[in-house]
Amino acid sequence: MSDPNDIKLIKLVRAGDVSAFAQIIEKYQHMAYTLANSIVKNHQEAEEVAQDAFFKAYKSLDKFKGDAEFSTWLYRIVYNTAISKIRSRKAETITLESQEVDKQNTFNFADNLNRLERQERKVILKRALKELKEEDAFIIILYYYKEQSIEEIEKATGLSKSNIKVKLHRGRKQLQQTLEQLLRTELKSFI
Amino acid sequence: MKEKDKYSEDIHDELIKDLFKEYSLEEAPASLKSETMNRVFSDWTENALSYKPIINKRNRLWMIGGFAALLAISFLIDASVIIDYWNKINVNNSIIDLSKIYKQMGSLGTTMNSLPSIIYFTIAGILALLGIDRFFNRLANI
């Protein structure tokens, strides 16, 4: 079910009060921008994608039935717009070399994370997310930050459940590896 | 081995969950909202200027005819025209002898018989207006 406030705003926009759409943008702009940036990995392009996504949402507001969350519907538009953007520029994504992670590393990883200050952990996570593959970062943010279920992510991306699980697993593994690398560099700079 | 992997994965999952508790969204630039709203307003203005008829051309013709007919019935024909027409066709009053009906209705019949004809025409007019209103409401939903 959609947020009643969202439904109210959508009804106003449909009735011709387009200024109500500004409130929708206000509410979702940061999430849309973050998700767009997780895919395009470029601030300027992320803004373009978020703008396009909001405009597309406005244009197809009549198609929104209200049986799903408005946010999920919007994130799907952001996702599709961002994917189209990266396909059009045909950029090569940077992937980190895969490394074997053993149990010992896991403990180091946890210990090292605890050594960092809250603000530093925040920065490190943002940097690590940038290193992830486009779709993986998008899914990781929805899963861990928005705490969405696999079913909700399925609606937001249009990907199959098994595909989401694979990407989630891969993303989590890669995120951990990237965090490890960044932590090592960070800690070396302290020593 | 599988159990070890599962264990390791669960630890990573928990660590990442913890890490995301401190995560904050990236701040969208102010231009995002203003630029998007500019596009929305511009699109709204363009669409507001273009006229899209609700009723198509095909329906419009018979609607005009129907409307003209209704006008003729409701405004052009007054009571005197109807009375004249009634007298001209010289209807045999015995066929529809209302006095018998009035007698059977008792005091109510006497009251109805004494009512001036204008009341009947007014009621007929109100019913006609209600009918026209209903007709146009239906047309509006075509």
Side-chain angles (χ1 to χ4, degrees):
Chain A
M1 275 293 285
S2 276
D3 182 344
N5 195 40
D6 287 349
I7 298 290
K8 196 177 151 191
L9 290 171
I10 291 163
K11 276 184 183 168
L12 281 172
V13 178
R14 279 176 180 162
D17 181 7
V18 281
S19 59
F21 196 70
Q23 289 181 58
I24 295 177
I25 300 176
E26 186 72 42
K27 187 175 175 185
Y28 292 107
Q29 61 176 340
H30 303 303
M31 191 64 202
Y33 178 73
T34 304
L35 289 173
N37 201 24
S38 74
I39 293 181
V40 295
K41 322 264 186 216
N42 176 301
H43 290 290
Q44 202 183 332
E45 283 187 333
E47 189 187 341
E48 283 170 24
V49 167
Q51 270 186 31
D52 288 346
F54 276 117
F55 187 66
K56 281 179 192 171
Y58 165 75
K59 290 289 279 177
S60 48
L61 214 52
D62 287 334
K63 289 177 193 163
F64 176 66
K65 301 275 184 279
D67 42 6
E69 283 277 346
F70 173 75
S71 56
T72 308
W73 183 75
L74 178 69
Y75 300 157
R76 178 147 195 180
I77 299 175
V78 174
Y79 176 82
N80 289 336
T81 314
I83 293 290
S84 305
K85 187 83 175 175
I86 54 165
R87 277 185 190 150
S88 67
R89 70 164 134 94
K90 293 174 185 173
E92 286 181 6
T93 53
I94 304 156
T95 54
L96 290 174
E97 285 176 16
S98 64
Q99 291 170 350
E100 282 296 314
V101 183
D102 55 22
K103 201 179 171 184
Q104 185 59 39
N105 277 346
T106 308
F107 289 125
N108 286 341
F109 171 57
D111 289 344
N112 288 339
L113 263 181
N114 289 331
R115 282 186 211 173
L116 292 177
E117 292 288 328
R118 204 175 155 184
Q119 191 57 32
E120 288 167 337
R121 282 155 64 113
K122 224 183 212 179
V123 174
I124 289 267
L125 178 61
K126 283 191 177 173
R127 279 168 61 190
L129 281 169
K130 273 194 173 180
E131 299 293 332
L132 286 187
K133 275 190 172 181
E134 299 85 5
E135 288 172 314
D136 298 358
F138 189 94
I139 290 167
I140 290 270
I141 292 171
L142 285 183
Y143 187 78
Y144 285 107
Y145 179 71
K146 290 299 283 180
E147 294 181 345
Q148 287 200 338
S149 63
I150 302 287
E151 286 76 18
E152 283 171 315
I153 300 173
E154 187 186 13
K155 281 180 193 164
T157 57
L159 298 169
S160 68
K161 274 181 196 166
S162 54
N163 200 355
I164 292 165
K165 282 179 186 168
V166 168
K167 285 180 192 297
L168 201 56
H169 174 77
R170 189 179 62 193
R172 185 164 43 209
K173 200 171 172 184
Q174 204 189 330
L175 186 68
Q176 193 249 324
Q177 287 170 8
T178 317
L179 282 167
E180 277 247 4
Q181 277 192 355
L182 291 169
L183 280 171
R184 274 197 205 110
T185 329
E186 198 75 12
L187 290 169
K188 266 180 198 170
S189 65
F190 285 132
I191 301 164
Chain B
M1 188 64 184
K2 267 189 176 180
E3 275 182 16
K4 191 183 166 187
D5 286 347
K6 180 84 176 67
Y7 173 75
S8 169
E9 201 172 300
D10 285 347
I11 289 176
H12 291 155
D13 192 53
E14 284 305 313
L15 283 170
I16 294 168
K17 266 183 193 164
D18 277 350
L19 209 52
F20 265 95
K21 281 177 189 164
E22 287 151 21
Y23 181 75
S24 59
L25 295 176
E26 289 175 55
E27 193 82 12
S31 53
L32 194 156
K33 188 179 161 187
S34 58
E35 291 288 321
T36 313
M37 281 313 288
N38 280 347
R39 287 171 72 180
V40 167
F41 276 121
S42 150
D43 179 79
W44 178 73
T45 318
E46 277 171 30
N47 286 336
L49 287 171
S50 65
Y51 169 72
K52 193 185 170 190
I54 300 165
I55 303 158
N56 63 32
K57 277 184 184 175
R58 207 173 134 192
N59 285 334
R60 224 178 291 164
L61 283 171
W62 72 261
M63 270 184 64
I64 291 166
F67 185 70
L70 280 168
L71 268 181
I73 292 164
S74 27
F75 301 111
L76 300 178
I77 304 170
D78 62 12
S80 59
V81 174
I82 297 167
I83 292 161
D84 283 349
Y85 183 71
W86 188 261
N87 291 332
K88 267 181 195 170
I89 57 172
N90 197 18
V91 180
N92 187 356
N93 282 342
S94 61
I95 299 169
I96 31 174
D97 191 3
L98 293 171
S99 60
K100 282 181 184 174
I101 303 168
Y102 290 141
K103 271 179 193 169
Q104 282 179 347
M105 288 169 84
S107 60
L108 183 69
T110 322
T111 318
M112 280 174 75
N113 195 21
S114 60
L115 283 175
S117 59
I118 188 74
I119 292 177
Y120 294 108
F121 284 119
T122 310
I123 292 167
I126 290 168
L127 291 173
L129 282 172
L130 287 170
I132 293 164
D133 181 59
R134 197 179 163 81
F135 173 73
F136 279 105
N137 269 330
R138 284 205 169 189
L139 282 181
N141 294 324
I142 289 175

